[in-house]
Amino acid sequence: GVVFNTVLGAGNLTFSNNDGDSFVFNVGATDTIGDIIFAINEAGDNFGISASSVNGDTGAKVVYRGLGTGDLEDFTVTNDNANLAAISDGNGGTLNKDTTALDASISIAGLTISSASNSFTDPVLGVVLVLVANASAGTVTVSVEKDKTTVQENIQAFVDSYNDFIRTANQLGSTDEAALGALVGDATLRNITRQISSTISATVASSATGFETLSRIGISTQRDGTLLLNTSELTSRLESNFDYVGNLFFANDGIGTLLESSITPYTEIAGLLDSKNDITN
């Protein structure tokens, strides 16, 4: 073991991982263990190694920990001077390796899938699997079902957000002399409101017959321009044709896809709204 104020002498420690990252740390002749730990953590070229000291009943130890996960993040510590053997694991180093960084691995339908973290994105299309920290080897049956409740909640949130926009736009563009809107007569406000309203009422050509418009799944436009969701009708549509509802929103010509295209020129950095703000300020 070593103690915090131990001086080992001059030399270099080289930290290298399986991904090809490395940095060399120069230990000065009068540096203590505490100095070394602090300087390693502060090194500008440190690719992700944390150094610390653990004090136990039989003495103290220097502990290195990789901050990344996965096989490529497994690392070694080597020295170019035997006097640094106590705080390295190569070139005669006596540092013990406690845990080797490894990829998480699962097998689905006979295919092995690896991940540098415990999260697997799209091992099955549209599915994210996350292994618990203490997961052990074994066979697990995972049921993938359509989450109709969450989809319905998301569609309700979409309707609510659209209605908030319409009410705000109506307020900003109000011609009522008693409550004149701050952007009354503004061309940008008129254009974005017209484009979004037009998109909401668009017909999605790629959708199946009976699922071409929002009105077909229970979303109707009211006289003030806001939307009204018939939850029972939407529930029925999700129960009978879940995928068709998804296509209505997320196909290449879907309502959600078209909305994103319509809104982006206004909301992106240095977009139309940003420019308008610069001018009005």
Side-chain angles (χ1 to χ4, degrees), residues 22-198:
S22 67
F23 75 97
V24 178
F25 177 75
N26 177 256
V27 179
T30 61
D31 287 346
T32 66
I33 294 296
D35 294 332
I36 295 170
I37 289 172
F38 177 81
I40 288 174
N41 291 330
E42 296 298 314
D45 53 355
N46 184 334
F47 56 80
I49 303 297
S50 171
S52 60
S53 176
V54 177
N55 297 307
D57 293 340
T58 59
K61 290 184 178 181
V62 172
V63 176
Y64 302 114
R65 179 175 179 269
L67 302 181
T69 60
D71 175 71
L72 293 179
E73 297 295 334
D74 195 39
F75 65 93
T76 59
V77 186
T78 58
N79 68 73
D80 66 355
N81 194 322
N83 58 281
L84 299 178
I87 57 172
S88 59
D89 63 358
N91 193 27
T94 58
L95 198 68
N96 293 321
K97 179 178 289 190
D98 180 56
T99 304
T100 299
L102 298 171
D103 287 346
S105 179
I106 59 176
S107 176
I108 300 178
L111 296 176
T112 298
I113 305 168
S114 300
S115 173
S117 71
N118 278 3
S119 179
F120 295 79
T121 301
D122 286 339
V124 177
L125 185 61
V127 174
V128 175
L129 291 178
V130 180
L131 302 180
V132 295
N134 61 347
S136 56
T139 300
V140 176
T141 300
V142 178
S143 297
V144 180
E145 300 177 351
K146 295 174 179 177
D147 190 353
K148 302 181 183 68
T149 300
T150 297
V151 171
Q152 185 151 341
E153 290 173 352
N154 289 340
I155 292 176
Q156 180 66 66
F158 161 75
V159 169
D160 293 341
S161 296
Y162 177 81
N163 288 344
D164 286 343
F165 163 74
I166 289 296
R167 294 187 184 103
T168 299
N170 289 342
Q171 181 181 6
L172 291 172
S174 173
T175 57
D176 185 349
E177 292 185 3
L180 201 62
L183 296 178
V184 61
D186 184 84
T188 300
L189 178 64
R190 288 198 307 270
N191 287 338
I192 190 172
T193 303
R194 182 171 61 250
Q195 287 184 33
I196 291 178
S197 297
S198 175

Side-chain angles (χ1 to χ4, degrees), residues 238-251:
L238 288 171
E239 290 290 343
S240 61
N241 296 100
F242 184 89
D243 292 338
Y244 290 172
V245 175
N247 186 85
L248 176 62
F249 283 95
F250 298 117

